[in-house]
Amino acid sequence: WAAMPVRVRFPSEAHQPLLEEILRGIFVLSLSSVLSLVTPWTLFRRKVGKVKRTNTYLCDKQSYTMDNITPAQRRHCMSRIRGKDTKPEILVRRGLHARGFRFRLQERKLPGKPDLTLPRYGVAVMVNGCFWHGHEGCRYATKPQSNSEFWDAKIARNRHRDEVTTAHLEALGWTVITVWECELKGKEAAMARIDALAEEIRRAGAEHEAVRSRRRKDREAWRQEREQMMKRRSELEEEIRRMYPIPRKVRKAAKEE
């Protein structure tokens, strides 16, 4: 086979139009294949953020930015946000534990179930997210433009519940310290905030120990103070029960248990 001569026949003038059509088809196919590869790459770059584009529309002198996900996907994302064991909370736990503090998590016997409680120091630490708890003057406490009435009411309820919980804990003799999410942004800022938190806990612990020693000396005064505290506690519990009633399903499940 290798020794056989190869005969090459060039196309005649009659085959010239057919050859041109074949070459034109090959060019179109190659161009379409190249475009099919370039378009997904451009979309991928836009998705990962290398090509930033925002679709903004003007309507009645107001700008609306189109969301990249559907309302169902947005609802799913918001529902997946946890109420405990969040990153700021874990960061505070690790910092306090490294500094020699021991604490309890989500104490159910206390109102509001504080994130961290230090019974030895009489301190309850609340680690709040800036968005969910409406941190005033914080750039992370932004309010969604869509369904604004719902979010305004929800954040207002969260803030009011925080105020009631803080008053309830203080009436029981606890010192409440609030740590905001924005204060833990950045490694240096987080370490500085945790150092300041440790100093606040130590000062509160000294005051707590002084109160306990005074109570041990004067039992009668402590009994009267405790009666006032329990009265105040019952009033606050009634206020919380009236403002935030327990759903019927939860009450039924508790009775069955």
Side-chain angles (χ1 to χ4, degrees):
W1 290 96
M4 292 181 63
V6 179
R7 296 181 180 181
V8 180
R9 179 179 295 180
F10 293 95
S12 61
E13 295 181 358
H15 297 132
Q16 192 70 23
L18 180 61
L19 181 61
E20 292 179 357
E21 291 294 333
I22 294 174
L23 292 176
R24 189 179 295 108
I26 294 173
F27 176 74
V28 171
L29 289 175
S30 61
L31 182 61
S32 62
S33 62
V34 169
L35 291 177
S36 64
L37 293 175
V38 170
T39 303
W41 172 246
T42 306
L43 295 176
F44 174 74
R45 291 185 63 198
R46 292 180 186 174
K47 187 174 181 180
V48 301
K50 293 183 179 179
V51 178
K52 296 182 179 178
R53 290 188 180 181
T54 56
N55 297 324
T56 306
Y57 303 92
L58 295 177
C59 179
D60 297 333
K61 297 182 180 180
Q62 293 182 359
S63 63
Y64 300 91
T65 302
M66 186 177 68
D67 203 349
N68 294 327
I69 62 177
T70 62
Q73 291 174 341
R74 175 66 66 190
R75 192 180 302 110
H76 175 73
C77 292
M78 298 299 283
S79 64
R80 298 295 294 174
I81 298 176
R82 296 176 295 181
K84 61 180 181 179
D85 297 335
T86 58
K87 289 183 179 180
E89 184 178 343
I90 293 174
L91 184 62
V92 173
R93 289 185 203 169
R94 291 175 178 175
L96 292 179
H97 194 276
R99 287 162 178 79
F101 293 96
R102 300 297 178 263
F103 41 80
R104 298 176 183 174
L105 303 177
Q106 308 291 333
E107 184 61 51
R108 296 185 177 182
K109 295 181 180 179
L110 295 177
K113 293 191 295 185
D115 298 321
L116 289 84
T117 52
L118 295 91
R120 177 182 175 184
Y121 301 89
V123 174
V125 180
M126 300 286 192
V127 184
N128 293 341
C130 298
F131 171 77
W132 295 101
H133 295 265
H135 190 195
E136 292 184 358
C138 178
R139 65 190 184 94
Y140 298 102
T142 57
K143 295 182 181 179
Q145 295 181 358
S146 60
N147 202 6
S148 58
E149 295 181 358
F150 167 78
W151 287 110
D152 291 343
K154 181 177 181 61
I155 293 173
R157 288 197 305 271
N158 291 346
R159 293 183 62 181
H160 189 268
R161 184 168 62 249
D162 292 341
E163 294 176 359
V164 174
T165 302
T166 301
H168 199 167
L169 289 170
E170 290 177 351
L172 295 176
W174 291 84
T175 301
V176 182
I177 302 175
T178 303
V179 179
W180 292 98
E181 178 186 5
C182 62
E183 297 174 346
L184 302 174
K185 296 290 185 180
K187 185 175 181 180
E188 296 181 358
M191 292 299 102
R193 182 64 184 96
I194 294 174
D195 289 338
L197 176 62
E199 291 298 327
E200 293 179 20
I201 292 173
R202 292 189 183 97
R203 288 197 298 268
E207 296 177 0
H208 182 67
E209 185 62 29
V211 171
R212 291 180 60 184
S213 62
R214 187 175 68 252
R215 288 172 181 173
R216 285 193 292 266
K217 291 179 182 179
D218 194 350
R219 295 288 181 179
E220 185 64 26
W222 160 236
R223 190 177 296 108
Q224 295 178 1
E225 185 178 352
R226 183 174 179 81
E227 290 177 358
Q228 294 178 359
M229 187 184 303
M230 297 302 294
K231 183 179 179 181
R232 178 60 177 164
R233 177 178 180 177
S234 61
E235 293 175 356
L236 289 169
E237 287 180 351
E238 184 64 28
E239 182 181 357
I240 294 173
R241 197 177 296 110
R242 185 177 64 257
M243 294 178 57
Y244 308 103
I246 301 175
R248 186 180 301 175
K249 294 182 180 178
V250 178
R251 291 201 302 268
K252 186 177 179 180
K255 288 181 181 179
E256 291 178 356
E257 290 178 359

